[in-house]
Amino acid sequence: MTYTVRKFDAVVVGAGGAGLRAALQLSESGLKTAVLTKVFPTRSHTVAAQGGVAASLGNSEEDNWHWHMYDTVKGSDWLGDQDAIEFMCRQANQAVVELEHYGMPFDRVDNGKIYQRPFGGHMSNFGEKPVRRSCAAADRTGHAMLHALYQRNVKVNTQFFVEWQALDLIRDADGEVLGVVAMDMETSEVVAFHAKATIFATGGAGRVYYSSTNAFINTGDGLGMAARAGIPLEDMEFWQFHPTGVAGAGVLITEGVRGEGGILRNADGERFMERYAPNAKDLASRDVVSRSMLTEINEGRGAGPYKDYVYLDLTHLDPQVILKRLPSIHEIGIQFAGVDCLKEYIPVVPTCHYQMGGIPTNRFGQVVVTKGDDLSSPVPGFYAAGECACASVHGANRLGTNSLLDLLVFGKSSGEAAVASIRENVKAHKPLPVDAIEKSLARLDRLNTQKDGSNVHETRVLMQRTMQKHAGVFRFSQLLKEGVDKILEVAQAVARTEIQDKSKVFNTARIEALELDNLIEVAKATMISAEARKESRGAHVRDDAHDTPETPDGRDDKNWLKHTLWHRDGNRLDYKPVQMKPLSVATIDLKKRTY
Amino acid sequence: MTTPLAMRTFHFKIYRYDPDKDAKPYMQDISVVCDPMDKKLLDAMVKLKAKDDSLSFRRSCREGVCGSDAMNINGKNGLACLTDLAAFPEGKPIVLRPLPGLPVVRDLIVDMTQFFKQYLSIKPYLVNDDNLPERERLQSPEDREELNGLYECIMCACCTTACPSFWWNPDKFVGPAGLLAAYRFIADTRDQATNERLDNLEDPYRLFRCHTIMNCVDVCPKGLNPTKAIGKIKEMLVQRAV
């Protein structure tokens, strides 16, 4: 059949922080670039980031990238690749300064430099004491950043395709990526975007869990597309549960609250983090704090009528500091918890927040797969950056403020790598395979004609509840095993979803069904990878991994210091080693992780 | 022991129009049972959509920062995710319509082209031609504070589509959101294009169609004050003239 093909040098999918940063690189280099996004760029989920972006600017006290690197490796529980981590931490200052130059309204300290606050897991002098490393615009850093990046793209005339849903990756018989198939949501027209470079910046899939800080749009579209095109997904068992989601609502309360001096208390009013992390206390790494909170709740010291949350206490802070540095938190407390945090505690619970795993890439944002003996062979034409990618800088647990840094650094490096590749290779576009859009059309056709199928909403909720119960903060061998069977069952239901709305005009029922196709790939990858990893590391903690001298806190470096790769085809798993060798400094050696 | 949850049924009248099948728009009567976990209008709407998947609206962050779910709620523009269900009076249906003054694409989804066109017309980016320092430019905390109340705009369009001046002249009047953005750059000590920005607005329509009706201030879900920003721009134009 005939269909519209639009040709570009490069196509970026997603217009959050990573996509916009990559697009700047491409647009400024004069290449013909399309940015596809399912929401208007400033509605992307980067907008919801609150507390800051990490960079060792040292504006308020001594700091350097090597300390930042150490903290990131330790935070990752040594699963992060040390070459990529060194690269990210060394690029951080420039990445943040660039944003300031673009006009981002950072808060300032008295000497006019960017304001920095302490954040969980960020320490000075290789783990000694908390350091001010998080560069912030009040508690609206993501909003200020996303708008500044969008505005800069306006300045350089980036071409946006707003409210276009990407459907599938176009990959030819040689394995090269030649663009994406996408649908104009307003008209349902399906178009092939033919490009020499395709950059995925599609964000995370936090909506795979029932209780999530994430936006509705965080449905792992890039991961689903990559998986369907035969690209494995890396380290998908590692999900960050943010310690402070508003109990019930799930809305995020930034770690910056604790950076400004807020503390967690149990029902007895005790500052319990002193027992779990005597040094860093409330500013320990997120996985550690979330587990401590749930231990308090599980042991009966939770607050509220059902004893199922703990308190975040800011009442001892100067109200002026709260209103100046944490104004949105004050609003969120009132809006979503019904409390005035100047006077009352905020009820909080660990809530799914961030996906450490994703599409495997190197530090240039090139998507890499195993090819013969090469465990990291770039897929020609394919790049990924931000939460959808796994570089891997976060390993088994991400530090707060490193996500905004990740999307800046790898958004830029993927853009640079794409520009270089397009410039090196000036020949015409490689022809599209004859069946370029067939798979997408078949999926749409199946959805339009499904009879007696499963309900999208109910199936999604079933998936989310299964994930929540079987692959949560604490993981149990038996629950994981059952979880695999249950998720595979849900996947059968997803394969036969039915929608009532068949309209061609802005059909959000169809979009939600297509998003569920992507979410279920993430759910399968997570459950199967988690069931298989028989150790505790970072955010993945299971009941049958015991604390022994050889396996401190259940971490088994002898057998499990390796990245998981889940393949959609046959739900096959394989593994690749962690890159322990940094670029210029000595390896940060394995040790027991304490805060 | 859990206590039984208080359920409440909410009745809605919702503007529906699908150009693919409807000859003209109509108001749909539909209701949904909510539990105490459903705090916001958006929670109820998600339940409504589970009942009738053809009900179309935009939404994303559900916490008032992305600006997707602006709509006209009982006659007043607002965000569904920040509107408390408990505040709706019993016995009266909740009336939902698309934002006024913009073409309807479908149901509660409006075509925002004209809104963004006006935003883009004010050159919404920092202009500074100095050589860039290696580090950040310095800005005093006091100068930075001038941006408070300006940079937080989420571009939901509640204000602009509540403004009669925009209804009459959407192609000529920048509207409150665009003017707030213009002043955000004028007020930034790092920006060097103040004169060009003022030139761009010195026009009987672009700026001066604001008649301080203040609907914008009344509806802004972020508590911003576009009228005040517009006043400051007008003041600067007067100062510049003398």
Side-chain angles (χ1 to χ4, degrees), chain B residues 77-92:
Chain B
N77 291 353
L79 300 182
C81 62
L82 294 185
T83 301
D84 283 323
L85 276 176
F88 288 111
E90 304 256 7
K92 272 206 324 209

Side-chain angles (χ1 to χ4, degrees), chain A residues 40 42-43 47-48 57 59 97 100-114 138 140 143 147 150-151 154-155 163 186 207 212-217 248-252 306 324 331 335-336 457 499-501 503-509 512, chain B residues 1-3 18-20 37 40 42 46 49-50 53-63 65-68 81-82 105-106 109 112 116 119-120 124-126 132-141 144-145 147 151-156 184-185 190 222:
Chain A
F40 185 78
T42 62
R43 321 233 187 271
V47 80
L57 292 172
N59 284 354
V97 166
E100 193 285 320
H101 292 165
Y102 296 161
M104 178 163 162
F106 282 107
D107 284 7
R108 302 289 177 147
V109 287
D110 286 342
N111 63 15
K113 292 181 180 176
I114 291 170
R140 305 186 181 100
H143 172 279
H147 281 248
Y150 173 65
Q151 290 159 355
V154 168
K155 189 176 182 195
E163 293 175 335
E186 190 173 327
R207 282 277 159 176
S212 171
T213 65
N214 282 201
F216 282 100
I217 57 170
V251 172
L252 176 69
Y306 308 113
K324 184 171 178 189
E331 284 169 32
Q335 272 282 351
F336 292 96
H457 179 80
I499 52 175
Q500 306 308 314
D501 183 5
S503 171
K504 285 193 178 64
V505 180
F506 221 110
N507 188 326
T508 49
E512 287 187 22
Chain B
M1 263 305 283
T2 54
T3 45
D18 175 2
D20 210 19
M37 292 301 288
K40 304 292 179 185
L42 182 61
V46 168
K49 187 163 178 66
D53 72 1
S54 69
L55 174 63
S56 306
F57 52 94
R58 294 186 177 103
R59 85 283 180 268
S60 182
C61 76
R62 63 84 167 83
E63 59 191 46
V65 290
C66 79
S68 297
C81 62
L82 294 185
V105 176
R106 179 178 177 178
I109 296 171
M112 296 185 72
F116 289 124
Y119 173 75
L120 296 177
Y125 44 81
L126 195 83
L132 290 172
E134 218 165 276
R135 288 287 299 253
E136 71 263 46
R137 280 176 294 236
L138 301 182
Q139 185 176 42
S140 73
R144 164 62 183 79
E145 243 167 63
L147 306 183
Y151 82 94
E152 302 93 324
C153 173
I154 58 172
M155 301 209 282
C156 63
R184 176 252 173 274
F185 290 100
R190 300 170 297 174
K222 304 308 284 182

Side-chain angles (χ1 to χ4, degrees), chain A residues 20-222:
Chain A
L20 291 178
R21 188 63 194 81
L24 279 182
Q25 231 46 44
L26 292 156
S27 294
E28 285 177 350
S29 71
L31 294 174
K32 193 178 175 205
T33 307
V35 180
L36 310 186
T37 170
K38 65 178 177 177
V39 294
F40 185 78
T42 62
R43 321 233 187 271
S44 309
H45 194 55
T46 302
V47 80
Q50 297 173 351
V53 49
S56 55
L57 292 172
N59 284 354
S60 294
E61 56 186 318
E62 190 189 353
D63 198 8
N64 67 59
W65 66 261
H66 201 186
W67 295 348
H68 183 191
M69 176 187 171
Y70 174 88
D71 297 337
T72 304
V73 171
K74 178 182 169 185
S76 81
D77 218 349
W78 277 269
L79 192 69
D81 289 326
Q82 297 197 15
D83 57 340
I85 293 175
E86 177 180 335
F87 178 76
M88 179 179 80
C89 296
R90 292 182 76 146
Q91 296 289 319
N93 287 5
Q94 194 196 345
V96 167
V97 166
E98 275 172 0
L99 280 176
E100 193 285 320
H101 292 165
Y102 296 161
M104 178 163 162
F106 282 107
D107 284 7
R108 302 289 177 147
V109 287
D110 286 342
N111 63 15
K113 292 181 180 176
I114 291 170
Y115 170 76
Q116 296 185 281
R117 62 161 61 106
F119 236 77
H122 290 281
M123 319 280 276
S124 65
N125 201 20
F126 306 104
E128 207 173 279
K129 61 177 195 334
V131 69
R132 294 177 167 268
R133 187 179 288 149
S134 168
C135 310
D139 53 0
R140 305 186 181 100
T141 311
H143 172 279
M145 180 185 286
L146 188 66
H147 281 248
L149 284 170
Y150 173 65
Q151 290 159 355
R152 182 72 177 191
N153 272 285
V154 168
K155 189 176 182 195
V156 300
N157 284 314
T158 297
Q159 188 178 356
F160 289 101
F161 289 78
V162 175
E163 293 175 335
W164 281 70
Q165 174 76 40
L167 301 174
D168 280 291
L169 201 58
I170 304 173
R171 207 175 171 204
D172 71 5
D174 304 328
E176 287 190 40
V177 168
L178 303 175
V180 286
V181 180
M183 182 171 71
D184 181 352
M185 288 161 66
E186 190 173 327
T187 62
S188 296
E189 187 195 3
V190 175
V191 170
F193 286 79
H194 191 186
K196 295 177 182 174
T198 302
I199 301 182
F200 271 14
T202 53
R207 282 277 159 176
V208 80
Y209 284 89
Y210 188 74
S211 167
S212 171
T213 65
N214 282 201
F216 282 100
I217 57 170
N218 291 21
T219 54
D221 297 345

Side-chain angles (χ1 to χ4, degrees), chain A residues 419-453:
Chain A
V419 169
S421 152
I422 293 166
R423 290 247 165 92
E424 262 167 39
N425 187 355
V426 287
K427 58 181 193 239
H429 286 64
K430 198 176 173 191
L432 289 178
V434 285
D435 60 350
I437 73 162
E438 292 308 317
K439 276 186 207 153
S440 299
L441 292 183
R443 285 172 62 220
L444 291 170
D445 190 48
R446 198 281 302 158
L447 194 55
N448 276 339
T449 53
Q450 181 73 48
K451 295 269 186 300
D452 303 317

